Amino acid sequence: MKKFLIVLCTLFLAGSLEAQSKFTVSGYIRDSLSSETLIGASVTVKDEGRGVKSNQYGFYSITLPAGRYTLVCTFIGYISQEIDIDLKGNMDISFSPFPKSSLSQEIVISSKRRDANVQDAQMGKIDLSMNKIRSLPVIFGEIDPLKTLQLMPGVSNAGEGNSGIYVRGGGPDQNLIMLDDAVVYNTGHLFGFFSIFNGDAIKNTTLIKGGIPAQYGGRLSSVLDISMKDGNMQQFQMEGGIGTIASRLSIQGPIVKDKASFIISGRRTYIDLLAKPFIKKSSNFYGSGYFFYDVNAKANYRFSDKDRVYLSGYFGRDVFDFVNSKRSFDIQIPWGNATMTARWNHVFNRKLFANTTVVYNDYNFVFGAVQQNFELQLSSGIRDFNVKSDIDYYISPKHKLKFGGLFTRHRFTPSVISGRQDSTEFSPNNSQVKYANEAALYVQDDWEISDKLKLNAGIRYSWFQQTGPYKKYLQDSDGNKLDSVSYGTNDAVKTYGGWEPRLTLRYAINEETSLKAAVTRNYQYIHLVSNAGTTLPTDVWVPSTYRVNPQISWQYALGFFKNFNDNQFETSVEVYYKTMQNQIEYREGYTPSIRDTEEEFVFGKGWSYGAEFFINKSRGKLTGWIGYTLAWTWRKFPALYDGNRYPAKYDRRHDLSVVAIYELSPKWKLSGVFVFATGNATTLPERFYIMEGVLTQEYSNINQYRLDPYHRLDLAATFTPKPNSKKKWKGSWVFSIYNVYSRFNPYFIYFDQTGSPYDGTLQVQAKQVSLFPIIPSITYNFKF
């Protein structure tokens, strides 16, 4: 802690000395039409290399010697804006660039910009605009940021149609996914086939998969930071879409013009409503159905240029009902997320910007079954209360410091089982509720040492403590409980902590070419333990405890970045190697029970390595990218496979994505996506034999087989009938075809048996289950 404070004091002192005889220009960068703040917009001194970028809230600060300058503000998709200044003292200047999409189609704007792909120290970073996401074909016409990210190198999907992501050999729990600073624990609707993120409510999507900055922590593989729109401060606006299986509607506008605004966005599927009239009441399955809905809401108020508050929230639910009246059987499975975020931005001075955030989030899953007089309920969940503060200190145009801290109170409910038989209730003491505190302090320095050398260096100290109330049982070698130790509320049960250094270095060969290297260490204190290959709501989140150690990783990455033709083409090659300690799996032969799930865990290690190739065309009528990943992912557990290494389920040797978007005319935009990936690793039975009249299977070693390769072609066309219309109502049609050549990609393999072993007619045959053939869809999007 003393070293941490010394570093801060030294940097503040250096900044104060440098500030003498210089002045600071600061302000905000906002969309000229809606006043939405722009994240990552550049403010540079014309004809010079000096410049800064706006932070997550659109704030920027640049310090320069006294003199005359032309400041240029640039942002992708916007017309650059220039302001001439005579700098004789500190100044407040805000920029309001105009979006190119609002111009007539005949007007062409081009401006050379310093490409962040080459010049930034950050590597493994992907920024996605919603315009690009909306242009791509998707299943059932539902736009989905996570499915677009799956098309990037180093990012794999969790299976056919699934919105889960695996990044550089990491599991689904090793991605820190945040919506307006609130951690999202389950990202999927429809058992993972759609993500919870409604594109109409999203402003910015950023994925970092290499060289994770010190401000982020708690996960090993990646950070997905998603920001919601603030709401239009100038005028009321409605937009939405009517799709094949779902519709959505968003309303936004000013509460007080130029001071306060709001946005409310909702979405719901209606398969259940469309199917209900066609299911006869006499049917055994009458009353069965599935639907999901979600709501995003946000409001903000600007007290002054120094103070602004935000309040945002998300609430989503999936509801699945299965009824079999013939067997008097009824299953109900509701699950979902709820988050609430309150934030306060404060500008202490022109160089010092602070954001304080308070977050509440809750995820829960319930499984309920009823058959005649018997009832059973299984539930699990996690609830957090989080407070954090982040401070940006702009020392100079080439030197920015960021530091802060956070505290989180966790409440875990891994599994609760209860039931009833007639008047007899079954409610064992198996709630296994666990509590924990998590905290961290960090400091990171983004410093352009020279025109050639730039670094982003940071250090983070994280701390985690399992607390009471809790009862720890002492057991013998057979698992029998011998004695127990009780811990009271907030008593420490087990404490972990450690330093997490982060370093990314860029060496610029020239303006269009650079080399980058990164090394990061990460701790992960909470874990998602799965008995399946995909992120299902039945998976349970568990904390690090006296039995379960935190996961720890080291990742090393090296990249070559080269742009061509005035940054029209971006290319990169990145290689990485990652080690992962204290990985968790269920023991062999595990079946759910009322025991504490920790007693079913086994522990081991993992490692992954690979190369990622990326070519992106960013301008012109034809845009798009090609991404290819060559990778290996291994696991090794002493208690599994006799301690030998085996490929992880999400090990993908080859992963290829080709994306093309073509502006055919002002009215028509065409797009296509082709993907190819090595099949998932899987475990299959190798031998069948009869024991005492029962067919018995002998399985292969873990993940020793591969499913057939996965490949698919999707096409889409967007038709805008009146692109230059000055009417308030604007609409467009999206026609898409998912899986054009109807490839039956394997979802899983099962073995079917026919005949009888007693008369010699027994036959066992492997059969493949595939989910989606060719699926056409139509969506109408509107805005007014």
Side-chain angles (χ1 to χ4, degrees), residues 7-8 11 18 40 51-55 61 114 116 118-123 125 208 211 213-215 391-403 442-450 453-459 502-506 516:
V7 170
L8 287 182
L11 290 169
E18 186 178 346
V52 295
K53 287 190 174 183
S54 60
N55 67 7
S61 175
R114 194 181 186 192
V118 171
Q119 298 299 334
D120 280 0
Q122 180 67 57
M123 64 185 300
K125 183 178 180 180
I208 303 174
Q215 71 186 88
I391 298 175
D392 293 324
Y393 180 47
Y394 297 83
I395 300 173
S396 73
K398 296 186 177 183
H399 202 177
K400 178 188 173 184
L401 185 70
K402 190 180 185 73
F403 57 94
Y442 76 89
V443 58
Q444 66 185 45
D445 191 6
D446 196 353
W447 186 14
E448 188 169 358
I449 301 172
S450 68
L453 200 60
K454 186 175 183 179
L455 67 81
N456 187 306
I459 187 71
R502 315 283 176 84
L503 177 64
T504 305
L505 193 66
R506 179 225 69 192
K516 300 181 186 181

Side-chain angles (χ1 to χ4, degrees), residues 285-497:
F285 303 102
Y286 182 78
S288 298
Y290 167 83
F291 67 92
F292 73 74
Y293 63 91
D294 49 36
V295 178
N296 296 77
K298 189 173 184 178
N300 70 93
Y301 188 86
R302 187 189 304 159
F303 292 94
S304 67
D305 283 340
K306 289 191 173 183
D307 291 282
R308 188 175 185 179
V309 294
Y310 302 81
L311 185 64
S312 60
Y314 167 86
F315 183 84
R317 280 292 179 271
D318 289 66
V319 180
F320 174 74
D321 289 325
F322 176 78
V323 176
N324 188 327
S325 57
K326 184 177 181 180
R327 299 188 178 184
S328 301
F329 188 58
D330 184 8
I331 293 178
Q332 292 185 333
I333 311 177
W335 74 93
N337 300 277
T339 71
M340 182 66 70
T341 304
R343 290 184 287 190
W344 170 41
N345 291 171
H346 179 66
V347 180
F348 287 98
N349 58 51
R350 288 176 174 82
K351 289 191 172 188
L352 203 61
F353 178 95
N355 175 69
T356 302
T357 305
V358 178
V359 176
Y360 170 84
N361 57 1
D362 182 34
Y363 166 72
N364 64 77
F365 165 83
V366 178
F367 172 91
V370 178
Q371 187 169 26
Q372 296 179 347
N373 296 325
F374 176 75
E375 295 182 9
L376 176 68
Q377 181 168 296
L378 168 68
S379 61
S380 64
I382 179 172
R383 183 180 301 164
D384 289 346
F385 180 79
N386 171 277
V387 179
K388 73 170 189 172
S389 185
D390 302 285
I391 298 175
D392 293 324
Y393 180 47
Y394 297 83
I395 300 173
S396 73
K398 296 186 177 183
H399 202 177
K400 178 188 173 184
L401 185 70
K402 190 180 185 73
F403 57 94
L406 64 86
F407 175 84
T408 304
R409 175 67 171 173
H410 298 287
R411 182 184 186 271
F412 299 85
T413 310
S415 60
V416 178
I417 299 177
S418 61
R420 181 179 62 83
Q421 176 71 51
D422 295 323
S423 60
T424 304
E425 291 193 2
F426 172 71
S427 184
N429 184 21
N430 69 325
S431 62
Q432 306 167 10
V433 176
K434 297 180 176 69
Y435 299 88
N437 297 323
E438 185 173 1
L441 291 172
Y442 76 89
V443 58
Q444 66 185 45
D445 191 6
D446 196 353
W447 186 14
E448 188 169 358
I449 301 172
S450 68
D451 290 340
K452 295 286 188 183
L453 200 60
K454 186 175 183 179
L455 67 81
N456 187 306
I459 187 71
R460 180 185 183 92
Y461 184 82
S462 57
W463 171 88
F464 189 91
Q465 185 177 75
Q466 181 192 3
T467 66
Y470 183 72
K471 182 175 286 188
K472 181 168 66 175
Y473 292 96
L474 305 178
Q475 300 174 327
D476 61 20
S477 58
D478 296 323
N480 299 311
K481 295 177 181 178
L482 303 177
D483 199 358
S484 64
V485 179
S486 295
Y487 296 86
T489 302
N490 293 324
D491 287 349
V493 180
K494 182 67 176 179
T495 302
Y496 297 98

Side-chain angles (χ1 to χ4, degrees), residues 279-286 325:
I279 301 176
K280 297 181 180 180
K281 291 185 178 181
S282 58
S283 170
N284 292 332
F285 303 102
Y286 182 78
S325 57

Side-chain angles (χ1 to χ4, degrees), residues 394-659:
Y394 297 83
I395 300 173
S396 73
K398 296 186 177 183
H399 202 177
K400 178 188 173 184
L401 185 70
K402 190 180 185 73
F403 57 94
L406 64 86
F407 175 84
T408 304
R409 175 67 171 173
H410 298 287
R411 182 184 186 271
F412 299 85
T413 310
S415 60
V416 178
I417 299 177
S418 61
R420 181 179 62 83
Q421 176 71 51
D422 295 323
S423 60
T424 304
E425 291 193 2
F426 172 71
S427 184
N429 184 21
N430 69 325
S431 62
Q432 306 167 10
V433 176
K434 297 180 176 69
Y435 299 88
N437 297 323
E438 185 173 1
L441 291 172
Y442 76 89
V443 58
Q444 66 185 45
D445 191 6
D446 196 353
W447 186 14
E448 188 169 358
I449 301 172
S450 68
D451 290 340
K452 295 286 188 183
L453 200 60
K454 186 175 183 179
L455 67 81
N456 187 306
I459 187 71
R460 180 185 183 92
Y461 184 82
S462 57
W463 171 88
F464 189 91
Q465 185 177 75
Q466 181 192 3
T467 66
Y470 183 72
K471 182 175 286 188
K472 181 168 66 175
Y473 292 96
L474 305 178
Q475 300 174 327
D476 61 20
S477 58
D478 296 323
N480 299 311
K481 295 177 181 178
L482 303 177
D483 199 358
S484 64
V485 179
S486 295
Y487 296 86
T489 302
N490 293 324
D491 287 349
V493 180
K494 182 67 176 179
T495 302
Y496 297 98
W499 292 97
E500 303 178 44
R502 315 283 176 84
L503 177 64
T504 305
L505 193 66
R506 179 225 69 192
Y507 178 76
I509 298 173
N510 54 47
E511 288 188 357
E512 296 184 334
T513 312
S514 67
L515 291 171
K516 300 181 186 181
V519 57
T520 59
R521 190 186 197 209
N522 293 277
Y523 276 76
Q524 180 168 329
Y525 298 102
I526 63 176
H527 325 278
L528 181 70
V529 187
S530 171
N531 200 32
T534 57
T535 308
L536 297 176
T538 49
D539 301 339
V540 296
W541 286 93
V542 297
S544 295
T545 65
Y546 75 98
R547 280 197 190 106
V548 181
N549 291 325
Q551 301 179 56
I552 306 172
S553 76
W554 281 98
Q555 182 175 226
Y556 310 90
L558 184 67
F560 175 78
F561 298 80
K562 174 70 176 177
N563 289 357
F564 300 91
N565 196 26
D566 192 18
N567 299 323
Q568 184 179 24
F569 293 92
E570 303 172 355
T571 66
S572 65
V573 179
E574 295 185 49
V575 294
Y576 67 90
Y577 181 84
K578 180 165 62 176
T579 62
M580 295 165 280
Q581 302 175 38
N582 304 325
Q583 302 299 284
I584 306 174
E585 296 282 0
Y586 282 112
R587 62 173 175 81
E588 285 187 308
Y590 163 75
T591 55
S593 69
I594 64 173
R595 299 175 62 187
D596 189 337
T597 52
E598 290 183 8
E599 299 178 25
E600 310 290 351
F601 297 161
V602 293
F603 305 95
K605 64 180 181 179
W607 62 100
S608 62
Y609 48 92
E612 301 165 1
F613 303 85
F614 186 61
I615 301 174
N616 179 41
K617 185 175 185 289
S618 59
R619 298 198 309 274
K621 282 198 169 186
L622 176 64
T623 59
W625 67 87
I626 300 174
Y628 170 71
T629 305
L630 175 66
W632 290 260
T633 303
W634 301 97
R635 294 291 184 267
K636 188 174 183 180
F637 285 68
L640 300 176
Y641 189 24
D642 297 325
N644 296 314
R645 75 171 188 175
Y646 61 89
K649 186 170 185 66
Y650 27 89
D651 172 60
R652 297 277 179 84
R653 192 70 65 250
H654 306 283
D655 200 326
L656 172 69
S657 298
V658 181
V659 177

